[in-house]
Every structure is written in structure tokens, then in C-alpha cells.
Amino acid sequence: MESGMDWHAAYAALAWQVELGADEAIGEAPVDRFAHEAAERAARAAPSPPPAAAALSARPVMAEADPVAEATAAARAATTLEELRAALDAYPHCDLKRGARNLVFADGTPQARVMIVGEAPGREEDQQGLPFVGRAGQLLDRMLGAIGLSRAQSVYITNVLPWRPPQNRDPSAEEIAMMRPFVSRHIALVDPDLLVVMGNISCDALLGRRGISRLRGHWTEAEGRPALPMFHPAYLLRQPQMKRQTWADLLELQMKLRVLK
């Protein structure tokens, strides 16, 4: 073996390595352990690389529920009033139903020429499961009787919302939007000659407008049929001086029914 180091020098170097603790030969090339450990520490401190784009695109994306679209589909599938009521009862996206005692669907005769659309149930309505049964309902019955109408024979009554809002608060825009397809289908199934739209919430849902003081008494159109906005009886209980205007509206309603015969 040719080498630049004689036998005695090589032996002395080996003895020195053994004395330092190097008692095993691992590789022919020398290894800088200090540099290797420094590289490992740097790798551990570095942030993890972002996942590959392919892996991200492979993850399933959960589509969020569209409450209005689901309400539209459920309402459209109902072919009878009983099916519509069941669809409302099964609808999961309106939180009002969680705090309500009853679903308030409708009252009156489904063959009526006049359909009244109110706003939302109050305490008495929530307890009995019928619309307009409290003081406002008693006033409504007297108003209808004054022009020869009644819920038992010639009027059908429902509300925009079938569940009572907490503390009788106004329903939110989202709640109205969710219930709007059900109201539309409700009107289509009853198919009245005309609508009476009572209160601001009802005007918002069916006419897309508020301001009942300006709207009342003026015939318009909703769901493809004549519609008359009127003060809500609950408002008349608070503002009895407005009964004069309501009497004029009732006479308009009576006249319209005669014209449509």
C-alpha cells in the first residue's frame, strides 16, 4: 500500500483516535457532525410547507343550505292545503318555530272569495293555533260583519308568519323571505278573487313596500289578483281614530266584490 504516511505515523494516529473514543469505523469519508446537527435544527424550526394544490382541490366542499330555495321547493311541491301545512311544519330553517307553542296556519273557509293576509300570530293566536282570535280578531270579525262577510262563510285568513315572534317583535327580513314562498303557494291553492293585505309586514311580503298609511285604501295587485292594503286591527285598537279610514276601505272592498261577480 502506497501512502504519504509511514507505518509508525499511521499507527500513532490510530492510537490517538482510539484514545479519543473512536473505536468503530463507519465510513471512508469523514463526517462533520456539527454541521449535520445544525442542519437538522434548522429544518425543525422551518414552517411546514403548505399542502399541495391538488390535495386542497380533492377535499369535499359542503354546500351551505339556502333557506329560501328550500322553502320554494317545499311550497311548490304542496298540492293541497294539508300538504302545505305539513311542509311548513317540517321546514327546519326558521328559528321562530322553536319558541312558538303552535303553528298558526289559517282559519275560515278555503272556498272564500276574500283572503286576508295578516302579519304574525300574537299570544292568543299562538296558544290556540288560529289567526286573529284575540282582541284584534274580535274587531276583525265586527269589521267583516259590517259589510256582510264572515270567516265562517266568506273569508279565509292567514298570516305571513305561522309562528309567533318573541315578545311580538317585527319579523326580520330573512324570516319574511323564508316564509314568502309558502304565502305565495297558500294564495295559489286557495285562489281567492281578491286579497286584503293587513299591516306593514304583509305589505312588505306581498307588495315589496311598507308605509301602510300611504298604501291603505288604494287597490293594487299581488299574486296576480286585486289586493287592498288595510290597517291591521291591532293598530286600530291602539289608534281608534283611524277606524273612519278603515270603514272607507271596507266599503271599497264591498264594492269590489260586487263588481267582480
Side-chain angles (χ1 to χ4, degrees):
M1 175 178 76
E2 296 182 0
S3 173
M5 181 182 298
D6 61 21
W7 183 88
H8 296 284
Y11 181 81
L14 178 60
W16 181 69
Q17 293 286 337
V18 172
E19 196 156 329
L20 289 176
D23 56 0
E24 184 179 359
I26 297 176
E28 295 184 0
V31 176
D32 188 343
R33 295 293 178 185
F34 295 104
H36 182 70
E37 292 176 1
E40 286 185 345
R41 287 194 298 268
R44 287 195 297 267
S48 301
L56 284 177
S57 62
R59 292 180 180 176
V61 178
M62 301 298 292
E64 292 186 4
D66 184 338
V68 176
E70 291 191 20
T72 301
R76 189 177 297 157
T79 59
T80 65
L81 292 174
E82 290 75 16
E83 289 179 0
L84 184 66
R85 182 188 182 109
L88 264 172
D89 199 29
Y91 183 71
H93 298 296
C94 187
D95 289 340
L96 293 178
K97 69 186 297 184
R98 299 178 184 175
R101 290 188 177 185
N102 287 297
L103 169 70
V104 180
F105 185 66
D107 194 19
T109 173
Q111 294 76 34
R113 298 181 64 200
V114 178
M115 183 172 180
I116 296 175
V117 181
E119 297 181 326
R123 183 174 62 87
E124 292 86 356
E125 288 78 12
D126 182 43
Q127 290 175 342
Q128 298 187 38
L130 293 171
F132 287 92
V133 293
R135 291 181 60 217
Q138 295 168 10
L139 176 56
L140 175 61
D141 289 341
R142 294 196 297 271
M143 290 163 53
L144 295 173
I147 58 171
L149 300 176
S150 72
R151 69 174 81 196
Q153 296 180 343
S154 51
V155 175
Y156 185 82
I157 306 172
T158 190
N159 284 315
V160 172
L161 270 74
W163 300 288
R164 181 193 181 194
Q167 287 77 51
N168 291 340
R169 65 161 173 79
D170 284 350
S172 67
E174 291 77 14
E175 291 163 347
I176 294 174
M178 283 188 280
M179 295 297 103
R180 178 69 177 78
F182 292 107
V183 176
S184 178
R185 187 60 176 158
H186 206 156
I187 294 170
L189 291 172
V190 175
D191 194 23
D193 289 343
L194 54 84
L195 297 170
V196 175
V197 187
M198 285 189 159
N200 265 324
I201 303 303
S202 307
C203 288
D204 188 359
L206 292 178
L207 307 178
R209 291 177 287 169
R210 294 201 183 198
I212 188 64
S213 295
R214 299 187 305 273
L215 295 171
R216 58 140 294 271
H218 300 285
W219 285 100
T220 182
E221 185 175 294
E223 297 298 318
R225 63 203 76 221
L228 181 65
M230 289 180 59
F231 287 129
H232 195 286
Y235 174 76
L236 296 176
L237 290 174
R238 300 191 301 270
Q239 303 290 338
Q241 70 274 15
M242 296 300 180
K243 290 182 180 180
R244 181 188 296 271
Q245 289 92 326
T246 299
W247 175 241
D249 296 344
L250 289 169
L251 294 177
E252 279 285 339
L253 174 60
Q254 186 181 51
M255 186 179 301
K256 192 74 168 180
L257 286 171
R258 291 173 180 169
V259 171
L260 293 176
K261 279 184 178 180

